[in-house]
Amino acid sequence: MELGNSLAHFAAGIGAGLAIIGGAAGIGRLAAAAMDGTARQPQASGDIRNAMIIAAALIEGATLFALVVCILLAVK
Amino acid sequence: MMAQEAAGHAAETAAAAGTPAVEGGAHAAAGAVHAVAEGAHEGPFQAGDFIFHHILDSQSLELPFVGEVHLPTLHIGPWALPITKHAVMMWIVFALVVLVLWLATRRRSTAPRGMHNVMEAIVVFVRDDLARKNIGHEGDRFVPYLLSTFVFILFCNLLGLFPYMATATGNIGVTAGLAGMAFIMIQVSGMREHGVVGHFRNLVPHGLPIWLMPIMIPVEILGLFTKPFALCVRLFANMTAGHVVIASLIGMVFILQKWWVGAILTVPFALFINGIELLVAFLQAYIFTMLTSLFIGMTVHPSH
């Protein structure tokens, strides 16, 4: 395998890892805040869960864009 | 090396059986060499090939007891339309949805039982928690579309968990089609509510300073397309990733070739991931439908 190709695979791996770190940190903070909110006000748990899932999906979307770039690097 | 061993073994057997068997032994040895040569054609176990065979679309269908069935290519005028595994899976999903809905609505009563109960729960959930909550009082108009999307994605996701089946939503073409429908639905609902000009005027908040327009308008136009793109990639990536993990865990047994790997690692972990996949199947159908209804609500009721 030539150097450029292997560098692209290397970059894809590193990039996927970094994207996952970012997404996991975001969703982790979000889940922590949602748990806090649910613990303080259990009757609002349904609304909090809905808002959490929307925000989690949007964070995940941003992470997936990064992963698509990584896939393009790996299979170019 | 294996071929030599096999041939040597066959020759030994022939020698033990005496001279008349030499010819048979030679035959067996030739057969063994042939078999090994054929085996060498496939080479050692390639985990990547195994995983991608499971994930990717192909023009063959694996059936129990029958084996692999090659699917035909339709020629309509100048276009060749190959029938693929995922297309067949979508047909199965259509048939299943029709069957389930027929079973559910066959005996209607005010006190629902069995299948009717399940479907009524899903319909009421989509109407109350998705359409009415996110779109508002006009939400009921979008319930048929949202319900079709929800049930189709859910059945596609769940069908992929059965043996011999494939996940049609793990194909980016299928999810792109679903996201394209969502895009059309979002835009058309905005245009119906505000008119074509009013819809595009709603892209930017009203009362924005005029010098911000050159920045905001391209960003908002880009935003129109990134929403369905995110829907498409999210569903595709979530459905594919789970199957890659399961296939990797199963492939680990064949790579390491130890029985305890299967007992300790593969079976418990693959079962666990399968359970997670069951959850993800419902969650992704819910998220796709909920985000679609949210985007429809955002275009119908823009922030001023």
Side-chain angles (χ1 to χ4, degrees):
Chain A
M1 196 184 285
E2 28 126 12
L3 184 65
N5 208 355
S6 43
L7 277 180
H9 278 88
F10 182 66
I14 299 276
L18 287 177
I20 293 300
I21 288 175
I27 292 181
R29 284 183 63 93
L30 176 70
M35 295 243 171
D36 260 5
T38 314
R40 278 163 202 262
Q41 215 161 10
Q43 67 270 25
S45 65
D47 289 342
I48 291 175
R49 194 185 307 117
N50 263 343
M52 182 186 82
I53 287 176
I54 293 173
L58 294 177
I59 293 170
E60 198 187 41
T63 314
L64 289 174
F65 286 137
L67 290 184
V68 168
V69 173
C70 295
I71 291 171
L72 289 180
L73 271 176
V75 300
K76 62 161 183 155
Chain B
M1 202 184 85
M2 273 177 68
Q4 279 172 1
E5 271 176 18
H9 187 70
E12 266 175 29
T13 327
T19 343
V22 166
E23 204 181 309
H27 259 297
V33 169
H34 188 65
V36 169
E38 265 190 356
H41 177 67
E42 284 184 6
F45 176 73
Q46 292 288 330
D49 292 352
F50 168 68
I51 292 170
F52 279 105
H53 175 75
H54 178 69
I55 299 298
L56 291 181
D57 204 1
S58 65
Q59 235 186 312
S60 63
L61 200 63
E62 279 152 15
L63 294 174
F65 309 119
V66 182
E68 217 163 297
V69 177
H70 191 75
L71 295 164
T73 303
L74 294 182
H75 291 280
I76 303 168
W79 299 287
L81 192 69
I83 296 172
T84 62
K85 191 163 67 177
H86 288 160
V88 174
M89 289 303 138
M90 281 195 282
W91 291 341
I92 294 174
V93 167
F94 294 148
L96 275 177
V97 170
V98 169
L99 182 74
V100 165
L101 285 174
W102 176 73
L103 281 176
T105 53
R106 198 174 39 164
R107 276 197 303 264
R108 270 172 286 182
S109 65
T110 44
R113 282 179 19 181
M115 198 77 93
H116 188 180
N117 227 341
V118 176
M119 281 319 290
E120 194 169 305
I122 292 178
V123 171
V124 169
F125 165 74
V126 170
R127 190 191 65 185
D128 290 352
D129 281 4
L130 299 179
R132 285 188 181 168
K133 203 168 185 178
N134 291 321
I135 305 175
H137 59 276
E138 322 67 346
D140 285 12
R141 224 173 44 203
F142 298 97
V143 171
Y145 165 70
L146 293 173
L147 191 64
S148 312
T149 316
F150 181 81
V151 173
F152 178 73
I153 295 176
L154 179 64
F155 274 58
C156 276
N157 293 349
L158 289 177
L159 197 66
L161 296 176
F162 284 90
Y164 295 105
M165 298 287 171
T167 327
T169 39
N171 183 336
I172 198 145
V174 175
T175 58
L178 287 166
M181 303 275 271
F183 176 73
I184 292 170
M185 211 61 202
I186 293 164
Q187 301 308 317
V188 168
S189 64
M191 287 175 196
R192 269 181 69 166
E193 193 71 20
H194 304 287
V196 176
V197 178
H199 170 62
F200 284 109
R201 199 174 284 160
N202 281 334
L203 275 181
V204 288
H206 295 276
L208 199 72
I210 202 81
W211 58 271
L212 265 178
M213 288 287 179
I215 307 169
M216 284 298 280
I217 290 173
V219 168
E220 291 293 331
I221 288 175
L222 205 64
L224 286 185
F225 295 100
T226 50
K227 283 174 197 162
F229 182 71
L231 283 180
C232 161
V233 175
R234 176 178 303 115
L235 186 57
F236 160 71
N238 272 292
M239 293 328 292
T240 307
H243 285 260
V244 169
V245 172
I246 293 174
S248 308
L249 284 169
I250 293 171
M252 210 167 274
V253 185
F254 297 100
I255 294 170
L256 298 175
Q257 298 193 336
K258 299 273 190 298
W259 67 267
W260 51 265
V261 175
I264 295 170
L265 198 86
T266 298
V267 173
F269 278 80
L271 267 177
F272 172 69
I273 300 288
N274 256 309
I276 297 237
E277 276 291 285
L278 204 61
L279 174 74
V280 166
F282 280 92
L283 194 69
Q284 290 306 316
Y286 168 60
I287 284 180
F288 191 99
T289 324
M290 161 137 96
L291 286 176
T292 309
S293 63
L294 193 76
F295 295 148
I296 291 174
M298 277 161 67
T299 47
V300 173
H301 305 291
S303 53
H304 290 285

